[in-house]
Amino acid sequence: MFRLALQRVSTAVSHRLSKPKLASQQVRTMANTTDDGQFKTWKPLAPTLRQRRMASRKHLHKGGPIRELTVAKRRTGGRNNTGRITCRHRGGGAKRRIRLVDFRRKEPGPQQVIRLEYDPGRTAHIALIKHMETGKLSYILAPIGLKPGAVVQSFMSEGQKALENTESSAQTTAEKDNENADSPETPDGEVPGAQEYTSEGLKLKAGAPQKATLEVGNCMPLKMVPIGSIIHNIGLHPFGRAQIARSAGASAQLLYTAPTGLAQIKLMSGEIRRVPVDACATLGRVSNPNHKHEKLGGAGARRRRGWRPTVRGTAMNTHDHPHGGGRGKSKGNKHPRSPWGKLAKGGKTRRKPNTLVVRERPRR
């Protein structure tokens, strides 16, 4: 009797395993994630996955980076050289390699976009470009709309040559003026080494291209950018590295520029500030604008990114935090402060105003 029942059970199990599944059943069991091109969501197989939402990365490269364009990231856990914690809530996390992104863009000539990649060290995506003449590989910040196969260029070297030609011609002209105050002009009525500025860019005289190509991803000095253009990856020093508008979805608008002096840009915060006209800028807006709508879902995602838990000040003792101590939930009728007594919400901490800021961002 027992053997007959066991035989029936084994027959039923084998029949069930051998029975082919429908296509809809296979898709339903395999699809634990959904990617609509904007966000990637998860089935709530766990409480932390119910609210989890990440920006889509299905258009990015699936493999690793170019090894020669990365360096190892050595973690400190928030400690300084004496071993004391100087930056709280840091520690642990997955191992990473820093991608060496080219923020100067001094290499002239056309460069083709090979692929778009994910960078764990920043919120924006990066693009691998290859020089079409020398074959040199490098990483740049990927703007919105940049796709594999596109060609980008940098006109920073031409702008620097134009500045050197202008300085040399001005010095030569000054020496000639000192020798003879009534020196004749050139047959065309122009001063040697002069340059023409148009709404589309800087026209160089010494065998350089007539104008800069206004395409997304092209880098050029601010004096070659048309007024009103949307730019990112902006420098603060003449022919220096880019420092402004580098995070995901960031951009700025050029309000004023000139052949020499300072240009004016409007940042996303509403601040208007002056920048040298020889500083670099890239046309377009930084990629991955949906980053601000991401939700990690659980605490484990934060720990894998190198963040440790944050303890509330009201849960501490009196000598540990200005909000600590007391009976129950109380912070001693004090304004919100940092652990070192600085005002945490709305307090002014800047002692010297920035002279390059034309109009500060609106305060709440």
Side-chain angles (χ1 to χ4, degrees), residues 113-124:
V113 179
I114 304 300
R115 66 197 185 199
L116 303 180
E117 295 185 10
Y118 168 75
D119 188 355
R122 65 185 72 253
T123 57

Side-chain angles (χ1 to χ4, degrees), residues 81-94:
N81 60 336
T82 62
R84 298 184 178 182
I85 296 178
T86 57
C87 186
R88 303 187 304 161
H89 316 139
R90 299 294 179 92

Side-chain angles (χ1 to χ4, degrees), residues 78-285:
R79 273 79 170 172
N80 61 0
N81 60 336
T82 62
R84 298 184 178 182
I85 296 178
T86 57
C87 186
R88 303 187 304 161
H89 316 139
R90 299 294 179 92
K95 294 174 64 176
R96 298 178 181 177
R97 292 190 67 85
I98 299 175
R99 275 67 169 173
L100 301 178
V101 180
D102 184 11
F103 288 114
R104 297 182 182 273
R105 300 287 298 274
K106 291 187 176 181
E107 191 75 19
Q111 296 172 315
Q112 187 178 15
V113 179
I114 304 300
R115 66 197 185 199
L116 303 180
E117 295 185 10
Y118 168 75
D119 188 355
R122 65 185 72 253
T123 57
H125 298 152
I126 58 178
L128 178 66
I129 59 177
K130 181 179 181 180
H131 202 284
M132 301 180 67
E133 297 176 359
T134 62
K136 182 180 179 181
L137 296 175
S138 60
Y139 281 126
I140 63 171
L141 288 185
I144 297 177
L146 191 68
K147 298 181 180 180
V151 178
V152 297
Q153 297 186 40
S154 175
F155 300 92
M156 292 302 299
S157 60
E158 297 175 2
Q160 192 166 7
K161 291 179 182 178
L163 180 62
E164 294 175 356
N165 294 339
T166 304
E167 294 177 352
S168 61
S169 61
Q171 184 177 3
T172 305
T173 305
E175 293 177 356
K176 291 183 178 180
D177 290 341
N178 293 334
E179 295 177 0
N180 186 6
D182 299 331
S183 60
E185 295 182 348
T186 59
D188 296 335
E190 300 178 353
V191 179
Q195 303 165 5
E196 297 179 4
Y197 292 87
T198 65
S199 60
E200 296 183 349
L202 172 65
K203 292 185 178 180
L204 307 180
K205 297 295 185 180
Q210 289 299 309
K211 61 182 180 180
T213 307
L214 302 179
E215 297 290 342
V216 172
N218 286 358
C219 181
M220 60 194 71
L222 284 173
K223 61 185 177 184
M224 302 175 68
V225 180
I227 295 178
S229 300
I230 301 298
I231 54 179
H232 69 279
N233 224 22
I234 309 165
L236 289 177
H237 305 283
F239 306 104
R241 65 183 180 90
Q243 297 177 254
I244 304 179
R246 304 193 323 189
S247 61
S251 64
Q253 186 178 16
L254 181 63
L255 301 181
Y256 169 79
T257 187
T260 57
L262 299 174
Q264 291 187 10
I265 59 175
K266 183 178 181 180
L267 306 179
M268 294 185 67
S269 62
E271 177 182 302
I272 299 177
R273 64 166 296 148
R274 291 189 289 262
V275 181
V277 295
D278 292 320
C280 64
T282 307
L283 298 178
R285 195 186 305 268

